Amino acid sequence: MLRKLTIQKFFSVKSAQTVTMEPSAGKSGFLRNALVRLLLFGVFIVIARFAYVITIAGESCNVGDFCFFSIPETLNLAIAGSGTAPLAVKTTGAVVTSPPELHASKDWIKSVHFYSSVFQDLIAGGYLSPESKSLCVETPTGRDVLALREIGVSDAIGISKKAKKPLVKSGEAHRIPFQDNNFDFVFSGEGGLERSARTGEFAEEVVRTLKPGGFAVFHVKANDTYSFNSFVDLFNSCCKLVKLHDIEGFDSSMPYIREIVLLKQGDMVKNFVDDFDSNSKCDVPGYKLELVRNAELLIKNEPMKPWITLKKNVKNIKYLPSIVDIGFKNRYVYVDVGARSYGSSIGSWFKKQYPKQNKTFHVYAIEADKAFHREYGLKKGITLLPYAAWVKNETLTFEINRGPGEHEQAQAKKGRGMGRIQPLKSSGGDLGHEVEKIQGFDFANWLKSTVSKNDFVVMKMDVEGTEFDLIPRLFETGAICLVDEIFLECHYNRWQRCCPGQRSPKYEKTYDQCLQLFTSLRKNGVLVHQWY
């Protein structure tokens, strides 16, 4: 009994001791946790400040910036298993030449090594030197700028829409924020020029800021003769092509790159618009003849049901943008000669079916019939020319084929109502036809004053027989060389749908004469398609 009481007394004492010690242990744990949290918060502040200074401000660390260590003059960065040599990032004074967080990317380091190799080859070729004042255009990451500095070209800067200090300054290629004749070397990589929505202005700005005798180097795709010649045409008035070769790229987006080196000859900064003399003719380049040879075959035999045959033939047409890259053009223009209503060909065909390679086209609708004018006023991106395309500026008669009065509006909406135009002295409409006086204009001269050979120009022509006047005029003036692709409806005394065995008395030309017109255009390097 006594032993039992002793044991109970022992456990009672222990229990009391335990209860008495708990408040002391809790207080000690609370203080320890508070100290740990305070220390972690301090470390977080230091890291956050360091990240801000390096990543956002684009500057190096010092004690005043809460960075308690210094960056060595040469920082070697390597990624395990990357297969590439360590990348040395040089620093000068208080400026770090590259945002550190990018160095963690294997692809980024690989691309810098790629550009370093490219620039070393250019130095070996005499196109670049360590003393060259250099500009990299449209470089969002600045890896080409870093590569230039890596190989000893210290005076190098890049521009991009979003700045990335200290390598890249804010600026855009179509408006480079530097003075004229400022750089010895300008570089555009990563397909910057062909991605630009303002290719012509891009080219002008590169030439403007490049010193005479300086070199401009471009990395582009340009893997067909059409796109390559389009590129060269952008610089023909000021620069000489001195090197062209293909190199292996560094990623899947551009596995093979065409490197083009241009030399700026003299102080020639001008607008890239060809000023043709009113009587000048143009030479057809060989690459355009090659394109024509790859076009769909012409329909040699006259179809008995042309309204069916020609409509089916549209499926065989090889559109130019489906064959070549049109990315190196200054502007993109569609000219609809004899447009009729908006839905006739612009809305129903060109807007929906023509392959545009994501380019924005400005549309010119040439239509003399007043019945179609009002709807164009509501359309954006379309310029209406309310006149008749002709061989000179003069007053014409316009023969409008209309049905009975109650059907007149319905026919107009369906796109009918088109008629022939004739000089005023030849007027004298047939019975049942309405004849109006309209203003004709010199279409060839208008075309030459509106577009240049650096523009991509598509034309559709449906002018009720006037094509036999307009096409020769385009050849005579050289304006035909400004057109890249033509969709031509040729009007002849075709078999009539209503009356089997009878030909249309409206036109005098034969199918053979139409075929000769198409053949002549193709022999002269014009990609023309039989339209309906």
Side-chain angles (χ1 to χ4, degrees):
M1 183 67 176
L2 177 62
R3 185 178 179 182
K4 184 176 182 180
L5 291 172
T6 303
I7 293 172
Q8 288 178 346
K9 183 178 180 181
F10 174 79
F11 279 104
S12 298
V13 172
K14 282 292 184 180
S15 179
Q17 288 178 348
T18 302
V19 172
T20 304
M21 291 176 64
E22 282 179 356
S24 176
K27 185 175 182 180
S28 175
F30 174 80
L31 290 175
R32 184 168 57 254
N33 290 337
L35 287 173
V36 170
R37 291 180 181 180
L38 184 61
L39 180 60
L40 290 175
F41 181 75
V43 172
F44 173 79
I45 291 295
V46 172
I47 293 174
R49 179 58 179 166
F50 176 81
Y52 171 80
V53 171
I54 298 299
T55 306
I56 306 300
E59 299 169 356
S60 65
C61 293
N62 54 46
V63 175
D65 288 325
F66 296 88
C67 297
F68 302 113
F69 56 89
S70 60
I71 294 177
E73 181 176 347
T74 301
L75 177 62
N76 292 321
L77 297 160
I79 299 174
S82 66
T84 59
L87 175 63
V89 183
K90 293 182 175 61
T91 64
T92 304
V95 178
V96 180
T97 59
S98 175
E101 75 278 4
L102 292 175
H103 299 157
S105 165
K106 176 182 176 181
D107 291 338
W108 197 87
I109 293 179
K110 182 180 178 181
S111 66
V112 174
H113 280 293
F114 167 79
Y115 284 120
S116 295
S117 175
V118 166
F119 294 139
Q120 286 170 346
D121 290 342
L122 290 170
I123 287 177
Y127 309 112
L128 175 65
S129 74
E131 293 75 33
S132 296
K133 187 175 183 180
S134 304
L135 172 68
C136 296
V137 185
E138 294 290 359
T139 172
T141 62
R143 49 194 174 186
D144 42 6
V145 183
L146 176 59
L148 282 169
R149 295 187 183 184
E150 271 297 301
I151 64 170
V153 183
S154 57
D155 193 359
I157 190 68
I159 63 166
S160 182
K161 189 172 183 179
K162 185 177 181 180
K164 208 166 191 70
K165 296 180 180 180
L167 298 176
V168 181
K169 179 179 179 178
S170 178
E172 296 185 74
H174 65 272
R175 191 165 49 206
I176 297 177
F178 294 103
Q179 296 178 349
D180 297 354
N181 305 321
N182 198 43
F183 295 98
D184 305 294
F185 178 84
V186 177
F187 178 74
S188 171
E190 306 180 60
L193 179 60
E194 53 201 319
R195 288 199 313 268
S196 174
R198 304 181 180 184
T199 309
E201 294 176 43
F202 190 127
E204 287 188 28
E205 284 292 276
V206 167
V207 174
R208 179 186 65 80
T209 54
L210 187 65
K211 293 178 182 178
F215 294 95
V217 177
F218 296 86
H219 282 182
V220 298
K221 292 180 181 177
N223 52 7
D224 60 77
T225 55
Y226 180 89
S227 60
F228 171 71
N229 282 277
S230 298
F231 172 90
V232 173
D233 284 342
L234 288 172
F235 299 92
N236 258 345
S237 61
C238 62
C239 299
K240 177 183 178 182
L241 177 66
V242 294
K243 184 181 180 182
L244 169 67
H245 76 134
D246 294 331
I247 57 179
E248 186 175 348
F250 59 86
D251 62 23
S252 58
S253 64
M254 291 185 71
Y256 293 96
I257 297 172
R258 176 159 290 185
E259 183 174 82
I260 302 175
V261 183
L262 302 174
L263 168 67
K264 181 177 177 180
Q265 296 179 309
D267 190 7
M268 299 172 61
V269 178
K270 61 172 287 186
N271 221 344
F272 288 74
V273 177
D274 287 352
D275 297 320
F276 284 106
D277 181 81
S278 60
N279 295 316
S280 67
K281 295 184 179 181
C282 58
D283 296 323
V284 179
Y287 71 90
K288 284 195 173 183
L289 292 171
E290 183 64 29
L291 284 174
V292 168
R293 284 192 285 269
N294 293 327
E296 74 280 359
L297 296 176
L298 295 172
I299 301 172
K300 295 294 182 69
N301 298 318
E302 180 184 357
M304 291 299 295
K305 296 182 179 181
W307 55 90
I308 296 178
T309 303
L310 292 173
K311 191 171 184 178
K312 287 182 177 179
N313 186 56
V314 173
K315 298 179 182 179
N316 301 323
I317 287 178
K318 295 182 179 180
Y319 296 102
L320 185 55
S322 66
I323 302 172
V324 300
D325 179 9
I326 63 173
F328 294 109
K329 290 295 185 176
N330 187 16
R331 293 189 307 146
Y332 301 87
V333 178
Y334 172 57
V335 183
D336 196 326
V337 191
R340 299 188 285 181
S341 67
Y342 173 81
S344 175
S345 57
I346 298 174
S348 62
W349 168 70
F350 184 76
K351 291 283 188 179
K352 295 181 179 179
Q353 300 180 38
Y354 187 81
K356 305 175 187 66
Q357 294 186 7
N358 294 321
K359 303 298 181 182
T360 300
F361 280 71
H362 186 84
V363 177
Y364 290 93
I366 301 175
E367 176 53 54
D369 194 340
K370 296 177 183 178
F372 303 110
H373 291 174
R374 180 177 295 179
E375 64 179 306
Y376 285 104
L378 304 175
K379 305 297 180 182
K380 294 182 178 179
I382 299 180
T383 299
L384 172 67
L385 278 70
Y387 312 108
W390 186 233
V391 297
K392 60 182 178 180
N393 299 326
E394 66 174 339
T395 303
L396 304 168
T397 60
F398 183 50
E399 177 188 294
I400 304 176
N401 302 321
R402 301 206 188 276
E406 62 180 4
H407 300 298
E408 182 176 320
Q409 294 300 321
Q411 287 183 336
K413 289 181 180 179
K414 290 181 181 179
R416 295 198 292 269
M418 284 297 296
R420 295 172 292 180
I421 60 173
Q422 298 179 1
L424 189 60
K425 61 183 180 181
S426 303
S427 61
D430 298 329
L431 183 64
H433 295 163
E434 179 184 345
V435 177
E436 295 181 357
K437 291 182 181 180
I438 59 170
Q439 182 62 44
F441 71 102
D442 191 329
F443 174 67
N445 281 342
W446 171 84
L447 190 65
K448 289 166 62 175
S449 66
T450 304
V451 302
S452 77
K453 74 173 185 178
N454 292 334
D455 297 330
F456 184 78
V457 181
V458 183
M459 180 187 298
K460 189 227 75 180
M461 184 177 287
D462 179 6
V463 287
E464 301 297 312
T466 310
E467 61 269 14
F468 286 98
D469 299 291
L470 294 180
I471 298 297
R473 173 67 176 166
L474 291 175
F475 274 107
E476 176 189 341
T477 59
I480 193 68
C481 288
L482 298 174
V483 184
D484 292 272
E485 190 169 22
I486 299 179
F487 298 85
L488 174 63
E489 179 174 351
C490 188
H491 297 80
Y492 64 97
N493 56 351
R494 63 178 63 184
W495 299 108
Q496 296 189 69
R497 185 184 307 188
C498 67
C499 314
Q502 295 186 22
R503 293 184 179 273
S504 170
K506 184 177 179 181
Y507 306 106
E508 298 178 355
K509 303 295 183 180
T510 65
Y511 184 81
D512 285 341
Q513 288 175 301
C514 281
L515 193 59
Q516 290 173 12
L517 187 62
F518 284 110
T519 302
S520 175
L521 283 164
R522 288 197 171 184
K523 282 184 177 179
N524 285 276
V526 181
L527 184 59
V528 63
H529 308 286
Q530 290 171 296
W531 204 236
Y532 68 95

